[in-house]
Amino acid sequence: MICLRLRGAERTYNDGHPVHALRPTDLDINERDFVTITGASGSGKSTLLNVLGLLDRPTAGSYEIGGVNMAAAGEKVRGAVRGQKFGFVFQSYHLVLRRTALENVELGMLYGPHKARERRQIAAEALERIGLAHRSHADPRQMSGGERQRVAIARAIATKPSVLFCDEPTGNLDSRNTGKVLDLLRELHQGGLTVVVVTHDLHVASVGTRQLSVTDGRVREEQR
Ligand code: ADP
Ligand code: MG
């Protein structure tokens, strides 16, 4: 059982003057939530996602995962939790060009416990699961944006994370491909994954079972 719990968590940048990217925030994300986070550009969405995903540390307050304060934990512990429990998807896919879809998914497991042959097997299964087995040997340059993002999602879920964090996953996609990616995220959520999606697309946001909005670093839960 994993529960993500921010208490008075803040992230302030200091370049000359302080930028309060995330103001003191209390937030619980529970297993099997599908949380969407909306807000204007610069409001603090990515900052919140990065703190939750252990890509960044709060400058004040606590962040407990399963009861352990990760805000104070060392990089080794944070890296282990991030690698074992979390998957990430970003707007621009971050696929390696001149590598096949299969190889890209395998690369995501390079620092995990699996041997090369297992990595290949798991990668093939992940591509199968997202409906892209037939594109396994394609280079990302031969793929549509929607296909690229689905490969990135396959890479993120291959390690069987508990939580999938997505920062503007449909930001570069047309409405048809946005729909495909949303269907996939919904399906993964129904399969038991906790999903956290940053988006400025209100249609994408409406898919969440919980909807948060961020305004000037302040996080608010929308009542539905
Ligand atoms: P969003 O994802 O909603 O567009 P961000 O979380 O990226 O917003 O940024 C929130 C605020 O923090 C913005 O004012 C942004 O300029 C500032 N910010 C983000 N990253 C940095 C950084 N590395 N150094 C200084 N300020 C930053
Ligand atoms: Mg952002």
Side-chain angles (χ1 to χ4, degrees):
M1 172 85 177
I2 192 164
C3 173
L4 314 180
R5 174 167 292 171
L6 297 176
R7 287 293 178 272
E10 299 178 47
R11 178 62 165 106
T12 304
Y13 292 107
N14 260 310
D15 23 70
H17 65 105
V19 177
H20 299 285
L22 182 66
R23 294 180 189 269
T25 298
D26 293 347
L27 176 65
D28 284 4
I29 295 177
N30 298 305
E31 201 172 357
R32 309 221 43 186
D33 279 347
F34 190 140
V35 180
T36 55
I37 302 167
T38 53
S41 177
S43 59
K45 304 180 298 295
S46 293
T47 301
L48 174 60
L49 191 93
N50 292 344
V51 166
L52 289 169
L54 299 173
L55 298 169
D56 192 11
R57 271 180 206 268
T59 44
S62 70
Y63 177 29
E64 286 187 7
I65 299 180
V68 178
N69 185 10
M70 301 302 294
E75 259 326 299
K76 208 166 170 182
V77 171
R78 288 168 55 90
V81 172
R82 191 166 56 229
Q84 288 162 24
K85 305 273 187 213
F86 295 167
F88 296 91
V89 173
F90 299 99
Q91 177 170 357
S92 51
Y93 328 122
H94 296 315
L95 298 179
V96 182
L97 305 180
R98 298 183 192 83
R99 290 276 190 279
T100 65
L102 189 67
E103 286 167 338
N104 268 279
V105 178
E106 285 172 29
L107 281 169
M109 289 180 276
L110 202 56
Y111 302 107
H114 303 291
K115 296 202 169 69
R117 196 177 341 143
E118 293 171 320
R119 292 200 294 270
R120 174 135 304 192
Q121 173 73 25
I122 295 167
E125 283 164 12
L127 286 171
E128 175 87 48
R129 189 162 171 208
I130 61 151
L132 279 181
H134 63 292
R135 301 292 275 147
S136 294
H137 299 288
D139 184 295
R141 291 171 300 178
Q142 304 163 322
M143 295 182 170
S144 70
E147 285 178 330
R148 290 183 194 198
Q149 195 57 298
R150 284 157 66 210
V151 172
I153 293 172
R155 178 179 58 191
I157 62 161
T159 52
K160 305 214 164 36
S162 306
V163 188
L164 183 65
F165 292 100
C166 310
D167 196 345
E168 302 277 7
T170 63
N172 287 348
L173 304 180
D174 60 20
S175 61
R176 190 174 138 269
N177 280 305
T178 293
K180 283 193 164 188
V181 165
L182 282 186
D183 287 347
L184 181 54
L185 292 177
R186 264 205 213 95
E187 211 178 293
L188 293 169
H189 173 245
Q190 277 159 14
L193 198 64
T194 303
V195 181
V196 182
V197 178
V198 160
T199 181
H200 62 256
D201 181 334
L202 293 181
H203 171 64
V204 174
S206 71
V207 168
T209 59
R210 288 177 66 190
Q211 295 168 27
L212 307 181
S213 66
V214 188
T215 311
D216 190 22
R218 289 188 181 81
V219 182
R220 194 175 58 147
E221 181 128 15
E222 303 289 321
Q223 300 307 323
R224 345 170 49 208

